[in-house]
Amino acid sequence: DRHNMMEKFSAKQHTCSDYDDILQTYSRLVDEIKGQKVYFFESCVRLNLIPLQKAVQDHAQGWLTGIGELLRESTLKKMVELEEKLKSLNANLEKKPASLDELKEVLGTISGIRNMSMDTDFEIQDIIERYRTLGLYNLSNLFEDTEQERCLKLTSNWDALSLKSKQVDVQLTPTKVKFTKITGKQITKFKGNMSNFAEDFMANGPSSIGSDLDKGLELMQEYSVKLKEFENQRTELVNAEKLFDLEITAYPNLIAVSKEMASLKMIYS
């Protein structure tokens, strides 16, 4: 029946074009039925087909309205999700970073807004087109006027958010300079710590114990944990360098230890 068919249809993701094709089919059917003759003469009998015409027309109109309701529900969901996303991004831009992690969050938001520009423009136009499609088939009664108003505000809200992200980026310049220097110091400290770890690894690590494999396995576990910590620190520093448009620092000692550990794992595994 129609209810089950509607459920199956709504279970899949459909484009505005998909809805338009179906709505157009039922809209044409309704118009065709309206244009049909309703009185026929068969010999001396006058046939009144108005009840049949109305039944078929109501059936087609029911499908038209049902598909329209699905389009409205999916569109409203898309709009609410986008509104919440823009609201969250705006809240992040309002933050006043006092630490490197907080600055990373705000700059990450700015970068995210810049990268999602094309996708968001497309998403907004899709929502607008969906509401326009509902109006095209005289289904505007399925949604409230406030939905149309919210839909029309999406473009201006997105433009305002994009502009705000650029303004905040400029305002954060002194803060970025401050934390760029801090990042430089952290890199210098990390290099020193990594150099000491590499020397310790070569002198006292798993490859230094000769034929004592039990001891070597114990050291493998110990130094694997330490190496993982250094790799995590390196990842954080690289992310900070990307954030501040700095040249990515190479750590040959870390690479050398990682390669040696990979070779030893093949032996101990």
Side-chain angles (χ1 to χ4, degrees):
D1 59 10
R2 187 169 67 195
H3 179 72
N4 290 333
M5 292 292 290
M6 289 289 185
E7 284 189 344
K8 291 180 180 179
F9 182 82
S10 63
K12 299 180 181 179
Q13 295 290 333
H14 296 282
T15 65
C16 182
S17 178
D18 294 333
Y19 280 103
D20 184 54
D21 289 342
I22 299 175
L23 290 171
Q24 189 176 89
T25 298
Y26 284 106
S27 179
R28 284 177 177 174
L29 181 58
V30 170
D31 291 339
E32 288 176 5
I33 295 170
K34 287 180 179 178
Q36 295 294 322
K37 292 174 60 178
V38 293
Y39 294 108
F40 290 88
F41 287 91
E42 187 65 30
S43 297
C44 62
V45 179
R46 181 174 181 263
L47 299 177
N48 180 5
L49 301 183
I50 290 179
L52 177 61
Q53 181 196 49
K54 186 177 185 306
V56 176
Q57 184 176 324
D58 288 347
H59 182 76
Q61 185 63 49
W63 276 98
L64 185 67
T65 302
I67 296 297
E69 288 174 345
L70 293 181
L71 175 57
R72 182 259 179 176
E73 289 172 5
S74 63
T75 303
L76 180 59
K77 181 180 178 182
K78 284 176 176 286
M79 182 166 66
V80 170
E81 289 175 351
L82 182 57
E83 287 174 334
E84 290 299 319
K85 183 193 296 184
L86 299 184
K87 183 179 178 180
S88 176
L89 290 170
N90 185 69
N92 286 342
L93 291 179
E94 293 288 343
K95 295 179 179 179
K96 306 299 180 184
S99 66
L100 181 57
D101 287 340
E102 292 174 353
L103 179 62
K104 287 179 181 179
E105 183 180 3
V106 176
L107 293 181
T109 299
I110 294 171
S111 176
I113 292 173
R114 182 168 57 247
N115 294 334
M116 64 187 277
S117 178
M118 185 175 296
D119 289 340
T120 303
D121 288 336
F122 177 80
E123 192 173 354
I124 291 173
Q125 290 306 312
D126 180 56
I127 293 172
I128 292 174
E129 181 61 20
R130 285 165 174 261
Y131 277 110
R132 190 194 72 82
T133 299
L134 287 170
L136 185 64
Y137 294 101
N138 298 316
L139 297 171
S140 299
N141 60 304
L142 297 179
F143 59 86
E144 300 178 3
D145 292 339
T146 53
E147 287 182 41
Q148 189 74 25
E149 294 171 3
R150 287 162 60 188
C151 174
L152 296 175
K153 285 182 180 180
L154 287 174
T155 299
S156 58
N157 289 345
W158 168 242
D159 289 341
L161 183 66
S162 297
L163 177 60
K164 184 175 183 177
S165 70
K166 295 174 183 178
Q167 293 172 336
V168 172
D169 192 30
V170 173
Q171 294 169 0
L172 287 175
T173 298
T175 306
K176 286 191 286 186
V177 171
K178 171 187 173 183
F179 283 106
T180 296
K181 294 178 180 178
I182 293 175
T183 299
K185 293 178 180 179
Q186 289 176 334
I187 290 172
T188 300
K189 182 179 180 181
F190 179 77
K191 282 182 175 180
N193 292 339
M194 187 62 230
S195 178
N196 293 335
F197 174 70
E199 291 178 5
D200 177 58
F201 177 81
M202 296 304 177
N204 306 305
S207 58
S208 67
I209 46 77
S211 59
D212 190 349
L213 296 181
D214 290 335
K215 180 62 175 178
L217 182 59
E218 181 182 333
L219 291 173
M220 279 289 294
Q221 295 173 344
E222 178 184 338
Y223 279 89
S224 291
V225 173
K226 292 181 180 179
L227 179 60
K228 184 64 177 178
E229 292 175 353
F230 276 100
E231 288 175 340
N232 291 339
Q233 291 177 42
R234 175 191 175 278
T235 299
E236 291 182 5
L237 290 173
V238 168
N239 289 338
E241 288 175 319
K242 290 179 180 178
L243 203 60
F244 301 131
D245 294 323
L246 300 175
E247 184 177 350
I248 304 301
T249 304
Y251 303 99
N253 287 334
L254 180 58
I255 295 174
V257 173
S258 296
K259 287 183 177 180
E260 180 66 16
M261 281 293 287
S263 299
L264 291 170
K265 282 182 180 178
M266 293 179 65
I267 297 173
Y268 283 95
S269 62

Short mmCIF file of all heavy atoms in Angstrom, two decimals, residues 53-106:
data_model
loop_
_atom_site.label_atom_id
_atom_site.label_comp_id
_atom_site.label_asym_id
_atom_site.label_seq_id
_atom_site.Cartn_x
_atom_site.Cartn_y
_atom_site.Cartn_z
N GLN A 53 -13.84 9.72 -11.54
CA GLN A 53 -12.81 10.74 -11.76
C GLN A 53 -12.29 11.27 -10.43
O GLN A 53 -11.08 11.42 -10.23
CB GLN A 53 -13.39 11.90 -12.58
CG GLN A 53 -12.37 13.01 -12.87
CD GLN A 53 -13.04 14.29 -13.33
OE1 GLN A 53 -14.00 14.75 -12.70
NE2 GLN A 53 -12.54 14.86 -14.41
N LYS A 54 -13.20 11.52 -9.52
CA LYS A 54 -12.81 12.06 -8.21
C LYS A 54 -11.97 11.05 -7.43
O LYS A 54 -10.98 11.42 -6.77
CB LYS A 54 -14.04 12.45 -7.39
CG LYS A 54 -13.70 13.15 -6.06
CD LYS A 54 -14.95 13.58 -5.33
CE LYS A 54 -14.59 14.40 -4.08
NZ LYS A 54 -13.66 13.70 -3.18
N ALA A 55 -12.34 9.77 -7.51
CA ALA A 55 -11.61 8.74 -6.78
C ALA A 55 -10.17 8.62 -7.30
O ALA A 55 -9.22 8.55 -6.52
CB ALA A 55 -12.33 7.40 -6.91
N VAL A 56 -10.03 8.61 -8.61
CA VAL A 56 -8.69 8.50 -9.21
C VAL A 56 -7.88 9.77 -8.93
O VAL A 56 -6.69 9.72 -8.62
CB VAL A 56 -8.79 8.25 -10.73
CG1 VAL A 56 -7.40 8.25 -11.37
CG2 VAL A 56 -9.51 6.94 -11.01
N GLN A 57 -8.55 10.91 -9.02
CA GLN A 57 -7.87 12.19 -8.76
C GLN A 57 -7.41 12.27 -7.31
O GLN A 57 -6.28 12.72 -7.04
CB GLN A 57 -8.83 13.34 -9.08
CG GLN A 57 -8.19 14.72 -8.96
CD GLN A 57 -9.15 15.82 -9.38
OE1 GLN A 57 -9.93 15.65 -10.30
NE2 GLN A 57 -9.09 16.94 -8.69
N ASP A 58 -8.26 11.85 -6.39
CA ASP A 58 -7.89 11.87 -4.96
C ASP A 58 -6.72 10.93 -4.70
O ASP A 58 -5.83 11.24 -3.89
CB ASP A 58 -9.08 11.46 -4.08
CG ASP A 58 -10.15 12.53 -4.03
OD1 ASP A 58 -9.87 13.66 -4.46
OD2 ASP A 58 -11.27 12.22 -3.58
N HIS A 59 -6.72 9.80 -5.38
CA HIS A 59 -5.62 8.84 -5.22
C HIS A 59 -4.31 9.44 -5.69
O HIS A 59 -3.28 9.36 -4.99
CB HIS A 59 -5.94 7.57 -6.00
CG HIS A 59 -4.89 6.50 -5.85
ND1 HIS A 59 -4.76 5.73 -4.72
CD2 HIS A 59 -3.89 6.10 -6.70
CE1 HIS A 59 -3.75 4.88 -4.86
NE2 HIS A 59 -3.20 5.08 -6.06
N ALA A 60 -4.33 10.06 -6.86
CA ALA A 60 -3.11 10.68 -7.42
C ALA A 60 -2.67 11.86 -6.55
O ALA A 60 -1.48 12.04 -6.29
CB ALA A 60 -3.37 11.14 -8.85
N GLN A 61 -3.65 12.64 -6.08
CA GLN A 61 -3.32 13.78 -5.22
C GLN A 61 -2.74 13.31 -3.89
O GLN A 61 -1.86 13.96 -3.32
CB GLN A 61 -4.58 14.62 -4.97
CG GLN A 61 -4.33 15.90 -4.18
CD GLN A 61 -3.43 16.87 -4.91
OE1 GLN A 61 -3.63 17.16 -6.08
NE2 GLN A 61 -2.41 17.39 -4.21
N GLY A 62 -3.20 12.16 -3.42
CA GLY A 62 -2.66 11.60 -2.17
C GLY A 62 -1.19 11.26 -2.31
O GLY A 62 -0.39 11.52 -1.41
N TRP A 63 -0.85 10.67 -3.44
CA TRP A 63 0.56 10.37 -3.70
C TRP A 63 1.37 11.66 -3.83
O TRP A 63 2.50 11.76 -3.32
CB TRP A 63 0.70 9.54 -4.98
CG TRP A 63 0.50 8.09 -4.75
CD1 TRP A 63 -0.64 7.37 -4.95
CD2 TRP A 63 1.48 7.16 -4.27
NE1 TRP A 63 -0.45 6.05 -4.62
CE2 TRP A 63 0.85 5.89 -4.19
CE3 TRP A 63 2.81 7.26 -3.88
CZ2 TRP A 63 1.50 4.74 -3.76
CZ3 TRP A 63 3.47 6.12 -3.45
CH2 TRP A 63 2.82 4.88 -3.39
N LEU A 64 0.81 12.64 -4.52
CA LEU A 64 1.51 13.92 -4.70
C LEU A 64 1.79 14.57 -3.35
O LEU A 64 2.92 15.02 -3.08
CB LEU A 64 0.64 14.84 -5.56
CG LEU A 64 1.25 16.19 -5.96
CD1 LEU A 64 2.43 16.00 -6.89
CD2 LEU A 64 0.19 17.08 -6.62
N THR A 65 0.79 14.57 -2.49
CA THR A 65 0.95 15.17 -1.15
C THR A 65 1.91 14.36 -0.30
O THR A 65 2.74 14.92 0.42
CB THR A 65 -0.42 15.27 -0.45
OG1 THR A 65 -1.31 16.06 -1.25
CG2 THR A 65 -0.27 15.92 0.92
N GLY A 66 1.80 13.03 -0.39
CA GLY A 66 2.67 12.16 0.41
C GLY A 66 4.14 12.35 0.06
O GLY A 66 5.00 12.47 0.95
N ILE A 67 4.45 12.39 -1.23
CA ILE A 67 5.84 12.62 -1.67
C ILE A 67 6.29 14.01 -1.25
O ILE A 67 7.43 14.21 -0.83
CB ILE A 67 5.96 12.45 -3.19
CG1 ILE A 67 5.65 11.01 -3.60
CG2 ILE A 67 7.35 12.85 -3.67
CD1 ILE A 67 6.62 9.99 -3.06
N GLY A 68 5.37 14.97 -1.33
CA GLY A 68 5.69 16.34 -0.90
C GLY A 68 6.04 16.40 0.58
O GLY A 68 6.96 17.12 0.99
N GLU A 69 5.30 15.64 1.39
CA GLU A 69 5.58 15.61 2.83
C GLU A 69 6.97 15.02 3.11
O GLU A 69 7.70 15.49 3.99
CB GLU A 69 4.51 14.80 3.55
CG GLU A 69 3.15 15.51 3.61
CD GLU A 69 2.06 14.63 4.19
OE1 GLU A 69 2.28 13.40 4.26
OE2 GLU A 69 0.99 15.16 4.56
N LEU A 70 7.34 13.98 2.36
CA LEU A 70 8.67 13.39 2.53
C LEU A 70 9.75 14.39 2.13
O LEU A 70 10.79 14.49 2.79
CB LEU A 70 8.80 12.12 1.68
CG LEU A 70 7.93 10.93 2.08
CD1 LEU A 70 8.19 9.75 1.15
CD2 LEU A 70 8.21 10.52 3.52
N LEU A 71 9.51 15.13 1.06
CA LEU A 71 10.47 16.15 0.62
C LEU A 71 10.61 17.23 1.68
O LEU A 71 11.73 17.66 2.00
CB LEU A 71 10.01 16.76 -0.70
CG LEU A 71 10.85 17.93 -1.24
CD1 LEU A 71 12.31 17.54 -1.40
CD2 LEU A 71 10.28 18.44 -2.56
N ARG A 72 9.49 17.64 2.24
CA ARG A 72 9.53 18.68 3.27
C ARG A 72 10.29 18.21 4.51
O ARG A 72 11.12 18.93 5.07
CB ARG A 72 8.11 19.08 3.64
CG ARG A 72 8.05 20.20 4.68
CD ARG A 72 7.75 19.66 6.05
NE ARG A 72 7.72 20.71 7.06
CZ ARG A 72 7.41 20.50 8.32
NH1 ARG A 72 7.10 19.28 8.73
NH2 ARG A 72 7.43 21.49 9.20
N GLU A 73 10.01 16.96 4.96
CA GLU A 73 10.66 16.43 6.15
C GLU A 73 12.18 16.32 5.96
O GLU A 73 12.95 16.70 6.85
CB GLU A 73 10.08 15.05 6.49
CG GLU A 73 8.65 15.10 7.01
CD GLU A 73 8.04 13.71 7.14
OE1 GLU A 73 8.78 12.72 6.91
OE2 GLU A 73 6.84 13.62 7.46
N SER A 74 12.60 15.79 4.82
CA SER A 74 14.04 15.63 4.57
C SER A 74 14.72 16.99 4.44
O SER A 74 15.86 17.17 4.87
CB SER A 74 14.27 14.79 3.31
OG SER A 74 13.75 15.43 2.17
N THR A 75 14.01 17.95 3.85
CA THR A 75 14.58 19.29 3.67
C THR A 75 14.72 20.01 5.00
O THR A 75 15.74 20.66 5.27
CB THR A 75 13.70 20.11 2.71
OG1 THR A 75 13.58 19.42 1.47
CG2 THR A 75 14.33 21.47 2.44
N LEU A 76 13.69 19.90 5.84
CA LEU A 76 13.74 20.53 7.16
C LEU A 76 14.89 19.95 7.97
O LEU A 76 15.61 20.69 8.67
CB LEU A 76 12.41 20.33 7.88
CG LEU A 76 12.32 20.94 9.29
CD1 LEU A 76 12.56 22.44 9.25
CD2 LEU A 76 10.97 20.62 9.93
N LYS A 77 15.09 18.64 7.89
CA LYS A 77 16.18 18.00 8.60
C LYS A 77 17.53 18.55 8.13
O LYS A 77 18.41 18.86 8.94
CB LYS A 77 16.13 16.49 8.39
CG LYS A 77 17.23 15.73 9.12
CD LYS A 77 17.13 14.23 8.87
CE LYS A 77 18.27 13.49 9.57
NZ LYS A 77 18.22 12.03 9.29
N LYS A 78 17.69 18.68 6.82
CA LYS A 78 18.92 19.23 6.27
C LYS A 78 19.15 20.66 6.77
O LYS A 78 20.27 21.03 7.13
CB LYS A 78 18.87 19.23 4.74
CG LYS A 78 19.07 17.88 4.07
CD LYS A 78 18.90 17.99 2.57
CE LYS A 78 19.19 16.66 1.90
NZ LYS A 78 20.63 16.36 1.88
N MET A 79 18.09 21.44 6.78
CA MET A 79 18.22 22.84 7.19
C MET A 79 18.58 22.96 8.66
O MET A 79 19.44 23.76 9.03
CB MET A 79 16.91 23.59 6.90
CG MET A 79 16.99 25.08 7.25
SD MET A 79 15.63 26.05 6.56
CE MET A 79 14.23 25.37 7.48
N VAL A 80 17.93 22.16 9.51
CA VAL A 80 18.23 22.20 10.94
C VAL A 80 19.68 21.80 11.20
O VAL A 80 20.38 22.43 12.00
CB VAL A 80 17.27 21.27 11.72
CG1 VAL A 80 17.73 21.12 13.16
CG2 VAL A 80 15.85 21.81 11.68
N GLU A 81 20.15 20.75 10.52
CA GLU A 81 21.53 20.30 10.69
C GLU A 81 22.52 21.39 10.27
O GLU A 81 23.53 21.61 10.94
CB GLU A 81 21.77 19.03 9.88
CG GLU A 81 21.07 17.80 10.44
CD GLU A 81 21.23 16.58 9.56
OE1 GLU A 81 21.73 16.73 8.41
OE2 GLU A 81 20.85 15.47 9.99
N LEU A 82 22.23 22.07 9.17
CA LEU A 82 23.12 23.13 8.70
C LEU A 82 23.08 24.31 9.66
O LEU A 82 24.13 24.91 9.96
CB LEU A 82 22.71 23.57 7.30
CG LEU A 82 23.58 24.67 6.66
CD1 LEU A 82 25.05 24.24 6.61
CD2 LEU A 82 23.08 25.02 5.26
N GLU A 83 21.90 24.67 10.15
CA GLU A 83 21.79 25.77 11.11
C GLU A 83 22.60 25.47 12.37
O GLU A 83 23.29 26.36 12.90
CB GLU A 83 20.32 26.00 11.48
CG GLU A 83 19.50 26.64 10.39
CD GLU A 83 18.02 26.72 10.74
OE1 GLU A 83 17.56 25.88 11.54
OE2 GLU A 83 17.33 27.61 10.21
N GLU A 84 22.52 24.24 12.86
CA GLU A 84 23.26 23.85 14.06
C GLU A 84 24.77 23.90 13.80
O GLU A 84 25.55 24.30 14.67
CB GLU A 84 22.86 22.45 14.50
CG GLU A 84 21.44 22.37 15.08
CD GLU A 84 21.27 23.23 16.31
OE1 GLU A 84 22.19 23.25 17.15
OE2 GLU A 84 20.22 23.88 16.44
N LYS A 85 25.18 23.47 12.61
CA LYS A 85 26.60 23.50 12.27
C LYS A 85 27.12 24.93 12.23
O LYS A 85 28.19 25.23 12.79
CB LYS A 85 26.81 22.84 10.89
CG LYS A 85 28.28 22.75 10.49
CD LYS A 85 28.45 22.40 9.01
CE LYS A 85 27.91 21.03 8.72
NZ LYS A 85 28.16 20.65 7.28
N LEU A 86 26.37 25.82 11.60
CA LEU A 86 26.79 27.24 11.52
C LEU A 86 26.81 27.87 12.91
O LEU A 86 27.69 28.67 13.23
CB LEU A 86 25.85 28.02 10.60
CG LEU A 86 25.79 27.56 9.13
CD1 LEU A 86 24.89 28.50 8.33
CD2 LEU A 86 27.17 27.49 8.52
N LYS A 87 25.84 27.50 13.75
CA LYS A 87 25.78 28.01 15.11
C LYS A 87 27.00 27.57 15.91
O LYS A 87 27.60 28.35 16.66
CB LYS A 87 24.50 27.54 15.78
CG LYS A 87 24.29 28.07 17.18
CD LYS A 87 22.98 27.56 17.76
CE LYS A 87 22.76 28.06 19.19
NZ LYS A 87 21.47 27.54 19.75
N SER A 88 27.38 26.30 15.76
CA SER A 88 28.54 25.76 16.47
C SER A 88 29.83 26.44 16.00
O SER A 88 30.69 26.78 16.82
CB SER A 88 28.62 24.25 16.24
OG SER A 88 29.78 23.71 16.84
N LEU A 89 29.96 26.62 14.71
CA LEU A 89 31.16 27.28 14.17
C LEU A 89 31.26 28.72 14.66
O LEU A 89 32.34 29.19 15.01
CB LEU A 89 31.12 27.26 12.64
CG LEU A 89 31.30 25.88 11.98
CD1 LEU A 89 31.00 25.96 10.49
CD2 LEU A 89 32.71 25.36 12.21
N ASN A 90 30.12 29.41 14.71
CA ASN A 90 30.11 30.78 15.20
C ASN A 90 30.52 30.84 16.66
O ASN A 90 31.25 31.76 17.08
CB ASN A 90 28.72 31.38 15.01
CG ASN A 90 28.67 32.85 15.37
OD1 ASN A 90 29.23 33.70 14.70
ND2 ASN A 90 27.99 33.15 16.46
N ALA A 91 30.06 29.87 17.46
CA ALA A 91 30.43 29.83 18.89
C ALA A 91 31.93 29.63 19.05
O ALA A 91 32.55 30.23 19.94
CB ALA A 91 29.66 28.70 19.58
N ASN A 92 32.52 28.81 18.19
CA ASN A 92 33.97 28.60 18.26
C ASN A 92 34.75 29.87 17.91
O ASN A 92 35.80 30.14 18.49
CB ASN A 92 34.39 27.47 17.31
CG ASN A 92 34.00 26.09 17.83
OD1 ASN A 92 33.74 25.93 19.02
ND2 ASN A 92 33.97 25.11 16.95
N LEU A 93 34.22 30.64 16.97
CA LEU A 93 34.88 31.89 16.59
C LEU A 93 34.81 32.93 17.70
O LEU A 93 35.64 33.84 17.76
CB LEU A 93 34.23 32.47 15.32
CG LEU A 93 34.46 31.70 14.01
CD1 LEU A 93 33.73 32.38 12.86
CD2 LEU A 93 35.95 31.58 13.69
N GLU A 94 33.83 32.78 18.58
CA GLU A 94 33.66 33.73 19.69
C GLU A 94 34.67 33.50 20.82
O GLU A 94 34.86 34.37 21.67
CB GLU A 94 32.24 33.61 20.26
CG GLU A 94 31.13 34.06 19.32
CD GLU A 94 31.09 35.58 19.16
OE1 GLU A 94 31.70 36.27 19.99
OE2 GLU A 94 30.45 36.06 18.21
N LYS A 95 35.30 32.34 20.82
CA LYS A 95 36.23 32.01 21.90
C LYS A 95 37.48 32.89 21.85
O LYS A 95 37.97 33.23 20.78
CB LYS A 95 36.62 30.53 21.83
CG LYS A 95 35.46 29.57 22.07
CD LYS A 95 35.89 28.13 21.95
CE LYS A 95 34.73 27.18 22.21
NZ LYS A 95 35.14 25.76 22.07
N LYS A 96 37.99 33.21 23.04
CA LYS A 96 39.22 33.99 23.16
C LYS A 96 40.33 33.05 23.62
O LYS A 96 40.43 32.73 24.81
CB LYS A 96 39.04 35.13 24.17
CG LYS A 96 37.85 36.04 23.89
CD LYS A 96 37.97 36.72 22.55
CE LYS A 96 36.76 37.63 22.29
NZ LYS A 96 36.82 38.23 20.93
N PRO A 97 41.15 32.57 22.70
CA PRO A 97 42.16 31.56 23.05
C PRO A 97 43.22 32.09 24.01
O PRO A 97 43.83 33.15 23.79
CB PRO A 97 42.78 31.20 21.69
CG PRO A 97 42.52 32.39 20.82
CD PRO A 97 41.21 32.93 21.27
N ALA A 98 43.42 31.33 25.11
CA ALA A 98 44.44 31.70 26.09
C ALA A 98 45.55 30.67 26.15
O ALA A 98 46.55 30.86 26.83
CB ALA A 98 43.79 31.84 27.47
N SER A 99 45.37 29.56 25.42
CA SER A 99 46.39 28.52 25.39
C SER A 99 46.57 28.07 23.95
O SER A 99 45.78 28.39 23.07
CB SER A 99 45.97 27.33 26.26
OG SER A 99 44.83 26.69 25.72
N LEU A 100 47.64 27.29 23.73
CA LEU A 100 47.91 26.81 22.37
C LEU A 100 46.78 25.90 21.88
O LEU A 100 46.36 25.99 20.72
CB LEU A 100 49.24 26.06 22.34
CG LEU A 100 49.67 25.52 20.96
CD1 LEU A 100 49.75 26.64 19.94
CD2 LEU A 100 51.01 24.79 21.08
N ASP A 101 46.26 25.04 22.75
CA ASP A 101 45.17 24.14 22.36
C ASP A 101 43.92 24.93 21.98
O ASP A 101 43.23 24.59 21.00
CB ASP A 101 44.85 23.17 23.49
CG ASP A 101 45.92 22.10 23.67
OD1 ASP A 101 46.68 21.87 22.71
OD2 ASP A 101 46.01 21.52 24.77
N GLU A 102 43.62 25.98 22.73
CA GLU A 102 42.45 26.80 22.42
C GLU A 102 42.65 27.55 21.11
O GLU A 102 41.71 27.70 20.32
CB GLU A 102 42.18 27.78 23.57
CG GLU A 102 41.72 27.11 24.85
CD GLU A 102 41.60 28.08 26.00
OE1 GLU A 102 42.00 29.25 25.84
OE2 GLU A 102 41.11 27.67 27.07
N LEU A 103 43.88 28.01 20.87
CA LEU A 103 44.18 28.70 19.62
C LEU A 103 44.05 27.73 18.44
O LEU A 103 43.52 28.09 17.39
CB LEU A 103 45.59 29.29 19.66
CG LEU A 103 46.04 30.01 18.38
CD1 LEU A 103 45.15 31.21 18.09
CD2 LEU A 103 47.50 30.45 18.49
N LYS A 104 44.53 26.51 18.64
CA LYS A 104 44.41 25.50 17.58
C LYS A 104 42.95 25.25 17.22
O LYS A 104 42.60 25.10 16.05
CB LYS A 104 45.05 24.18 18.04
CG LYS A 104 46.56 24.19 18.09
CD LYS A 104 47.08 22.84 18.59
CE LYS A 104 48.59 22.82 18.67
NZ LYS A 104 49.09 21.52 19.19
N GLU A 105 42.10 25.24 18.25
CA GLU A 105 40.68 25.00 18.01
C GLU A 105 40.06 26.11 17.17
O GLU A 105 39.32 25.85 16.21
CB GLU A 105 39.93 24.87 19.34
CG GLU A 105 38.45 24.55 19.18
CD GLU A 105 37.73 24.41 20.51
OE1 GLU A 105 38.36 24.62 21.56
OE2 GLU A 105 36.52 24.10 20.48
N VAL A 106 40.37 27.36 17.51
CA VAL A 106 39.81 28.49 16.77
C VAL A 106 40.36 28.53 15.35
O VAL A 106 39.62 28.72 14.38
CB VAL A 106 40.12 29.82 17.50
CG1 VAL A 106 39.61 31.00 16.66
CG2 VAL A 106 39.48 29.84 18.87
#
